[in-house]
Amino acid sequence: MLVEIYSPVFKEKGKIRAPIVFKNGLNVVLGTQTASNSIGKSSSLLAIDFAFGGDTYLNSDGVRNIGNHTIYSCFKFDKKYYYGRSTENPDTIIICNSDYSETEKNISKKDFLNFLMENYISNKTDLTFRQLVSTYFRIYGKSNREENYPLQGYRNQSTKESIKILMSLLDYYKDIEPFHARYDLESDRLKTFKNARKYSFIANLVGGKKQYEENINKIANLKAELESLTDTTSDDVTKEEIEKSKYCEVLKENKLHLETQLERFQRRSKLLSISMEYGLMPTEADLQALSEFFPTVEIKKIYDVENYHKKLSSILSVEFKKEKEQVDGNIKELKNNIESITAELSKHKVKNSFSKEFLDKHSDLQRQIAALEEQNKAFVEENEIKDSKNDAKNRLEKNIESILAEISFNLNNKMREFNNSLYKEKRNSPKITLKNYNSYEFFTPKDTGTGTNFKGMILLDLAILYLSSLPALSHDSLLFKNIDDEGINGIILLYTDTEKLNKQVFIAFDKQNSYSVETYDVLQSNKVLQLYENGGELYGKSWNREVNDEAKL
């Protein structure tokens, strides 16, 4: 259980608050009789949620107005464990001493949540601790207060995921996990196949079954044309002979291409040899002859230029040598490939001589047939995957149907029990109908009032707390605003009964004097934090008050 939370930013009248201590059963964060706003009721619950690994607190008014800080917490299982979690680095959990002094040890948020999972929830599930509990911490700032869809844990969460969470908490998911796994696998297979077809990794058949049937007719006609083409060549021609002839034609084309490349590399090799043998530099005799024909020329300057050219020529010689080695290597490789093709051609002696026109036509017909057959194969394969997915879906729905009916029955019975305890005169109780793995209804028959809807959501949460492995829940004060007084009095008593479950309920509440004496006494006796204006806010101050700064006037 969560024993306490503490933070140096939690203050009262300028002094740091002592740790906020919790117990099993009901824990009340109490506001004022006038329902004062911005005193920290919701922030207190978000801080508790933060201690349980939630992240909504990171966007709270406290963090925005005070800046980054650390929330410390103590959990008790086989012993007490002390932790710190900073809003600046929320993915790292600090191991603390009992006085909340920080040690040098820390663990990842993932490992921390696994620790909570192991100690709170023993059900077999592939969901995380936060996925299982977050929905039932209904606090302002979280998107899980849609009273007509109470299983929704966050905005745009799929109904499939919501129901999976409920089934996992109630330890039913293990019974349908193999069917769910097969359905997910077949769904992924179909999605992958469609993407492969979309990006042309496999053939795409546009037109569906109609095109499939047209392709069958086209394939039959093309095969007849191919057979007719073969019949016009020779009486004893065989399919193997035609394929052998086409193979030899391809080899000849490849050989011709390689021979063309060989000639180009040989010419380059010859040019490089000439450059390396003769060079581009004038000799001493060349320069002397130049001075005889042109007596006025400055031989010294020519020598200076030629000395530079000698250095450049030396560099080019090295480059020429490297290039020639590479070119000669290419020549050797090309010769080897040409010899291999020549040897391969000598192995295949074609009896009949086929024209290039015939071979091209034969190949074209074969390509058309292969393309159409590939399209039809893809069509058949996609339909087989669709059938497998539908079969998996049907098996899932069949196996899940009885389980969902049982869950609905148990939850409705518990909510009816709770609802009957709220009022002297019996009223319609909320009802949940889990239709299938991705659909449900939640309503109160013949009553669609706002207060009734929120009352129904609270009773559903309590029913789940009683019947499942959910370790705790949290309800913010805004959930109670529209519920009638008699209903509130009964709900508060239901909260206190959770102590026998060894589970925890955290609520924020105000206007406590407006209800029965019994309710007032229960709220006071289960109060863990009293908040009020003018220094009694969670952080010792409020930021919604206008401050007059006379020095600036």
Side-chain angles (χ1 to χ4, degrees), residues 345-540:
L345 282 169
S346 65
K347 294 178 185 177
H348 299 280
K349 302 296 183 182
V350 182
K351 296 178 182 179
N352 294 291
S353 178
F354 301 101
S355 68
K356 187 176 185 303
E357 184 179 12
F358 168 83
L359 294 175
D360 288 345
K361 179 66 174 177
H362 194 278
S363 296
D364 181 58
L365 289 170
Q366 284 188 322
R367 277 194 296 270
Q368 290 184 60
I369 293 169
L372 293 172
E373 287 179 336
E374 190 66 26
Q375 287 180 9
N376 280 9
K377 179 184 175 184
F379 176 78
V380 171
E381 187 175 353
E382 180 175 353
N383 277 287
E384 287 176 351
I385 297 173
K386 285 180 178 178
D387 290 341
S388 295
K389 180 186 174 183
N390 289 333
D391 178 66
K393 181 182 178 181
N394 291 334
R395 289 175 182 270
L396 172 62
E397 290 178 346
K398 183 178 179 181
N399 283 274
I400 206 174
E401 185 178 344
S402 60
I403 293 174
L404 294 179
E406 184 176 345
I407 292 173
S408 299
F409 178 81
N410 292 336
L411 289 175
N412 288 331
N413 277 349
K414 201 65 182 175
M415 287 191 290
R416 187 181 304 110
E417 175 191 329
F418 290 153
N419 193 69
N420 289 342
S421 72
L422 299 183
Y423 303 102
K424 293 178 181 179
E425 184 179 326
K426 283 190 177 181
R427 300 188 186 183
N428 291 331
S429 64
K431 184 177 181 180
I432 189 167
T433 304
L434 299 166
K435 296 182 175 181
N436 54 49
Y437 71 96
N438 64 358
S439 176
Y440 73 95
E441 284 183 344
F442 183 73
F443 62 98
T444 299
K446 300 179 181 180
D447 192 344
T448 58
T450 304
T452 298
N453 290 341
F454 276 102
K455 178 202 69 176
M457 183 166 65
I458 291 172
L459 295 186
L460 176 64
D461 286 358
L462 283 168
I464 293 171
L465 187 71
Y466 267 79
L467 299 176
S468 77
S469 58
L470 180 69
L473 60 80
S474 179
H475 289 158
D476 206 345
S477 58
L478 58 87
L479 270 64
F480 307 113
K481 299 298 183 183
N482 295 293
I483 303 175
D484 59 88
D485 291 0
E486 189 178 3
I488 291 294
N489 292 331
I491 288 171
I492 296 301
L493 292 178
L494 289 176
Y495 283 145
T496 60
D497 290 340
T498 59
E499 183 177 0
K500 62 188 177 186
L501 302 175
N502 290 323
K503 296 185 177 185
Q504 293 179 289
V505 174
F506 307 96
I507 70 167
F509 205 87
D510 49 25
K511 301 184 72 173
Q512 53 272 26
N513 292 336
S514 301
Y515 302 96
S516 69
V517 174
E518 184 180 12
T519 296
Y520 177 85
D521 290 341
V522 169
L523 292 171
Q524 290 294 330
S525 62
N526 290 279
K527 176 178 65 179
V528 296
L529 179 63
Q530 176 70 63
L531 299 175
Y532 53 91
E533 294 179 316
N534 300 318
E537 298 88 353
L538 177 64
Y539 304 99

Side-chain angles (χ1 to χ4, degrees), residues 97-115:
N97 297 310
S98 59
D99 61 353
Y100 294 115
S101 58
E102 298 180 4
T103 69
E104 294 182 355
K105 298 179 181 178
N106 59 67
I107 58 175
S108 68
K109 177 186 172 184
K110 180 180 178 181
D111 288 340
F112 172 69
L113 292 178
N114 287 339
F115 168 77

Side-chain angles (χ1 to χ4, degrees), residues 324-337:
K324 190 171 187 312
E325 289 175 356
Q326 183 178 352
V327 169
D328 288 346
N330 290 336
I331 290 172
K332 183 177 179 181
E333 183 179 354
L334 286 168
K335 285 182 177 180
N336 290 336
N337 290 338

